[in-house]
């Protein structure tokens, strides 16, 4: 990662790289869970387990409905939680075993399963992930207060996440070379990697990384209905939420169709893991470049360009045909080189938006806001998976059919290539002239510090 800006460091209280790395450790495994729900679960349950593709997409989407109730509760309680271990750390300790149990049941199912089975265990995994991930990201947003410093904390976390995805995809690629190409083998390997690695990584982070006390401001403090209204009146928050949904839905459409395209269009399903591996490596390598760009033009414009970059390199995908593995692989690597950037800059922007709410309400509600953003991301996943599985089925594409018509293949590839770019393009006017840039954020922090010290 590049060195922080000296002005920013002075304002934020510079964190050491060691602290940022220790904080990011759990994301080596935590981030792995974001891939399978789109890349593996739909194809596995619709292909090897024989469930209808549209039904699989619908059940994954339904499993996210529970988060509408649980996420705000988790975020609010974690904001108000007081213990000798802090506000955020206890939630990671509770969420870890839930993630482990639900992962095993979802990824290593019995031979006979139903859509109800898929929905039940996907729901429990989603709840466990919320208990873990929402306080974890809130903790990261509170580690520092500087505009650029927050980007670096989020970059370390997402960089570790990309590295974890790279390692687990490397294992799957090695399994493929060794002849273990069955979906059940891959799913069992993913479950074992999560179960064996998550507990020690979380333990090190809880032990070595400090949790700062919540910021308390003097003056007027909003509570109850007034505090809720302030969320709805926060223009920056609303624009960020809509943009996150658009970005996430576009990315999930393609993620849910990668394996199906490789198998039924290109005819090389064994190259799935190596291709996603190359995409992840490109994303990891490109992160410092995107970070420097965000320092120059602002996070909001950098993340917008990162999303448009994905859409641009997706445009030629409908022209990919049987055997076009070099052409397809090049497009996948190029479009994937901005993935991690979209996530870490979005989280950094979210932390800045919370400062506006802290100033407006007099309370630091990081957990609540990340819960609301978490709901937006899960809504995006649900919409993306539903569109990625439902639209091809609507045009006659059935994964386990003996053959596919040219019309159904054409519809699949246009949905795969063009629809995500069109959806993400809608976020351009929301973020390009975002109301909180570096100058505005320094003004916010100055006013917060003034109220804290008065």
């Amino acid at each position: 990662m590049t060195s922080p800006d000296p002005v920013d460091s002075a304002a934020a209280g510079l964190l050491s790289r060691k602290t940022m790395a220790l904080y990011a450790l759990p994301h080596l495994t935590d981030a792995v869970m974001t891939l399978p729900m789109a890349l593996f679960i739909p194809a596995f349950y619709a292909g090897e387990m024989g469930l209808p593709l549209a039904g699989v997409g619908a059940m994954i989407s339904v499993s996210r409905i529970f988060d509408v109730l649980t996420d705000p509760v988790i975020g609010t309680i974690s904001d108000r939680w007081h213990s000798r271990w802090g506000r955020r750390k206890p939630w990671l300790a509770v969420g870890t075993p839930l993630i482990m149990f639900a992962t095993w049941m979802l990824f290593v199912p019995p031979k006979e399963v139903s859509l109800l089975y898929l929905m039940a265990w996907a729901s429990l995994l989603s709840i466990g992930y919320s208990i873990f991930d929402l306080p974890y990201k809130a903790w990261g947003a509170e580690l520092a207060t500087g505009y650029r410093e927050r980007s670096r904390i989020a970059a370390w976390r997402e960089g570790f996440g990309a590295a974890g995805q790279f390692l687990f995809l490397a294992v799957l690629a090695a399994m493929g070379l060794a002849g273990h190409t069955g979906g059940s083998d891959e799913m069992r390997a993913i479950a074992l990697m999560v179960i064996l690695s998550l507990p020690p990584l979380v333990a090190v982070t809880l032990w070595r990384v400090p949790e700062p006390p919540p910021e308390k401001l003097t003056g007027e403090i909003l509570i109850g209905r007034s505090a809720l209204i302030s969320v709805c009146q926060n223009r920056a928050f609303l624009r960020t939420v809509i943009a996150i949904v658009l970005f996430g839905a576009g990315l999930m459409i393609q993620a849910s169709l990668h394996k199906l395209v490789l198998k039924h269009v290109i005819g090389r399903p064994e190259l799935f893991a190596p291709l996603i591996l190359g995409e992840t490596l490109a994303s990891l390598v490109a992160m410092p470049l995107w970070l420097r760009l965000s320092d120059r033009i602002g996070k909001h414009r950098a993340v917008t360009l990162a999303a448009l970059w994905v859409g641009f390199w997706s445009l030629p995908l409908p022209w990919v045909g049987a055997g076009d593995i070099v052409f397809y692989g090049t497009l996948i690597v190029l479009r994937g080189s901005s993935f991690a950037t979209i996530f870490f800059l979005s989280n950094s922007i979210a932390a800045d938006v919370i400062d506006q709410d802290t100033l407006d309400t007099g309370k630091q509600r990081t957990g609540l806001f990340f819960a609301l953003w978490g709901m937006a991301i899960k809504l995006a996943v649900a919409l993306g998976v539903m569109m990625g599985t439902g639209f091809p089925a609507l045009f006659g594409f059935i994964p386990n059919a003996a053959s596919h018509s040219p019309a159904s293949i054409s519809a699949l590839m246009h949905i795969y290539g063009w629809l995500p770019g069109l959806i993400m393009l809608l976020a351009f006017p929301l973020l390009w002239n975002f109301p909180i840039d570096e100058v505005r954020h320094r003004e916010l922090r100055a006013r917060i510090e003034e109220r804290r010290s008065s």
Side-chain angles (χ1 to χ4, degrees):
M1 305 302 169
T2 57
S3 299
D5 179 83
V7 176
D8 193 53
S9 299
L14 179 62
L15 290 176
S16 69
R17 292 185 179 184
K18 179 180 179 181
T19 299
M20 288 189 280
L22 289 172
Y23 162 74
L25 268 180
H27 217 49
L28 279 168
T29 298
D30 178 35
V32 168
M33 299 309 304
T34 63
L35 279 178
M37 290 305 295
L39 293 180
F40 293 89
I41 292 294
F44 174 71
Y45 274 86
E48 190 161 323
M49 304 307 293
L51 299 179
L53 179 62
V56 169
M59 289 303 99
I60 293 175
S61 300
V62 169
S63 70
R64 296 300 185 266
I65 294 177
F66 296 102
D67 298 328
V68 175
L69 300 175
T70 59
D71 281 10
V73 173
I74 293 169
T76 301
I77 295 177
S78 73
D79 283 338
R80 298 177 180 178
W81 192 270
H82 297 284
S83 75
R84 58 183 296 186
W85 299 284
R87 295 190 298 167
R88 314 300 181 189
K89 289 184 178 183
W91 295 86
L92 276 70
V94 172
T96 297
L98 282 177
I99 290 174
M100 294 165 61
F101 180 54
T103 295
W104 183 261
M105 298 303 296
L106 183 63
F107 284 70
V108 190
K111 293 182 179 179
E112 298 294 330
V113 297
S114 64
L115 290 174
L116 181 61
Y117 179 95
L118 170 61
M119 185 195 72
W121 290 109
S123 298
L124 184 61
L125 179 58
S126 181
I127 292 171
Y129 190 79
S130 294
I131 291 174
F132 182 98
D133 195 62
L134 297 180
Y136 178 55
K137 287 192 169 71
W139 181 11
E142 293 166 350
L143 279 175
T145 58
Y147 182 84
R148 299 187 186 184
E149 189 73 357
R150 281 174 170 167
S151 293
R152 280 152 181 81
I153 294 170
W156 274 92
R157 184 180 60 231
E158 298 306 324
F160 268 56
Q165 292 172 355
F166 180 88
L167 291 173
F168 116 89
L169 288 168
V171 171
L172 296 185
M175 290 176 59
L177 293 175
H180 300 283
T181 57
S184 58
D185 290 340
E186 291 179 339
M187 300 292 276
R188 182 180 293 270
I190 295 170
L192 287 174
M193 282 187 277
V194 170
I195 291 171
L196 295 177
S197 63
L198 187 59
L201 295 175
V202 172
V204 171
T205 299
L206 295 180
W207 175 41
R208 298 297 304 275
V209 180
E211 181 182 331
E215 293 185 323
K216 297 181 180 180
L217 276 59
T218 60
E220 181 183 6
I221 297 179
L222 300 181
I223 59 175
R225 182 179 179 183
S226 298
L228 180 61
I229 292 174
S230 71
V231 174
C232 301
Q233 293 177 338
N234 190 324
R235 292 185 302 134
F237 165 71
L238 296 176
R239 289 166 68 165
T240 308
V241 165
I242 297 172
I244 286 174
V245 171
L246 294 172
F247 288 161
L251 293 176
M252 287 303 108
I253 288 173
Q254 291 184 327
S256 62
L257 294 176
H258 279 327
K259 291 195 81 170
L260 297 177
V261 169
L262 270 171
K263 180 177 180 180
H264 298 288
V265 179
I266 300 174
R268 299 293 300 275
E270 75 279 5
L271 295 179
F272 172 74
L275 280 174
I276 303 301
L277 190 66
E279 176 186 75
T280 304
L281 180 60
S283 182
L284 188 60
V285 170
M287 280 182 64
L289 301 177
W290 288 104
L291 189 57
R292 292 192 186 99
L293 180 64
S294 73
D295 287 344
R296 286 181 173 270
I297 67 174
K299 307 172 192 178
H300 54 295
R301 292 186 173 177
V303 74
T304 305
L305 292 178
L308 293 180
W309 179 267
V310 173
F312 176 79
W313 291 108
S314 298
L315 291 176
L317 286 173
W319 286 277
V320 172
D324 291 339
I325 192 62
V326 175
F327 180 35
Y328 178 71
T330 301
L331 293 176
I332 290 297
V333 169
L334 287 171
R335 62 179 280 284
S337 59
S338 67
F339 275 10
T341 299
I342 293 175
F343 294 120
F344 87 75
L345 286 180
S346 295
N347 278 288
S348 183
I349 292 171
D352 297 338
V353 172
I354 294 168
D355 283 337
Q356 179 68 65
D357 180 75
T358 301
L359 185 63
D360 292 341
T361 65
K363 298 184 296 183
Q364 191 179 39
R365 303 189 293 176
T366 314
L368 172 62
F369 271 80
F370 270 92
L372 297 174
W373 271 297
M375 290 170 57
I377 291 171
K378 289 173 182 176
L379 173 62
V381 172
L383 290 175
V385 172
M386 182 176 288
M387 288 188 286
T389 55
F391 285 166
L394 185 64
F395 286 93
F397 179 80
I398 309 298
N400 56 2
S403 60
H404 304 283
S405 67
S408 67
I409 292 294
S410 176
L412 171 69
M413 294 306 291
H414 280 84
I415 293 167
Y416 178 61
W418 287 3
L419 183 58
L422 291 174
I423 291 174
M424 289 189 286
L425 183 62
L426 297 176
F428 182 88
L430 296 172
L431 289 183
W432 190 253
N433 291 316
F434 195 66
I436 301 179
D437 57 10
E438 187 168 9
V439 174
R440 170 59 179 162
H441 182 257
R442 284 179 177 169
E443 294 174 356
L444 286 175
R445 289 306 314 175
R447 293 174 64 188
I448 288 174
E449 293 303 324
E450 181 182 355
R451 286 183 59 181
R452 287 183 65 189
S453 60
S454 62

